[in-house]
Amino acid sequence: QVQLVESGGGLVQAGGSLRLSCTASGGTFSSYRMGWFRQAPGKEREFVAAVSRGGSATYYADSVKGRFTISRDNAKNTVYLQMNSLKHEDTADYYCAAVTRRWDTTFLLSPKDYDAWGQGTQVTVSS
């Protein structure tokens, strides 16, 4: 059983930055594709960013491209989401997720494709 724990959320002014971290335990981290999702009150969970197993390839939702950066450090079993130029619309609960039961190599953008989830960390952007 893979356990994911997010950290780094909080309150930030519009235009500011936050760095989220997600640390995995109980599995083989380097074998998992990783992603970040977010969910605002009353809305569906949406894809934010994904990173390949080795960290060399990334993919972003259009809404965050150019502002957010996903990366991973397999030696530390950790995936990061650097968020710059934050907007009020970025306010949401942010979740780290892993693909542990699929062995293909494509980017996965649906929450249904991920089978291990963190508890979430809240990001609030004030105007």
Side-chain angles (χ1 to χ4, degrees), residues 4 22-30 34 72-79:
L4 305 175
C22 172
T23 300
S25 61
T28 306
F29 180 74
S30 61
M34 302 296 298
R72 67 192 297 162
D73 186 340
N74 286 344
K76 297 181 178 179
N77 286 358
T78 300
V79 62

Side-chain angles (χ1 to χ4, degrees), residues 44 83 108 121:
E44 296 294 318
M83 305 185 295
L108 300 173
T121 185

Side-chain angles (χ1 to χ4, degrees), residues 11-103:
L11 175 66
V12 65
Q13 294 282 340
S17 298
L18 284 174
R19 184 176 66 184
L20 306 183
S21 299
C22 172
T23 300
S25 61
T28 306
F29 180 74
S30 61
S31 71
Y32 305 146
R33 285 163 287 174
M34 302 296 298
W36 285 96
F37 294 79
R38 66 187 183 186
Q39 187 167 20
K43 299 185 65 177
E44 296 294 318
R45 190 166 298 186
E46 68 172 347
F47 171 80
V48 175
V51 63
S52 60
R53 294 175 177 88
S56 61
T58 58
Y59 191 85
Y60 300 92
D62 288 342
S63 59
V64 306
K65 188 175 297 184
R67 300 188 298 120
F68 291 10
T69 302
I70 187 172
S71 62
R72 67 192 297 162
D73 186 340
N74 286 344
K76 297 181 178 179
N77 286 358
T78 300
V79 62
Y80 305 94
L81 185 68
Q82 177 67 47
M83 305 185 295
N84 298 327
S85 301
L86 282 162
K87 307 173 181 179
H88 179 70
E89 308 94 272
D90 297 317
T91 296
D93 289 334
Y94 282 72
Y95 297 88
C96 172
V99 181
T100 70
R101 294 183 286 188
R102 287 181 59 172
W103 311 111

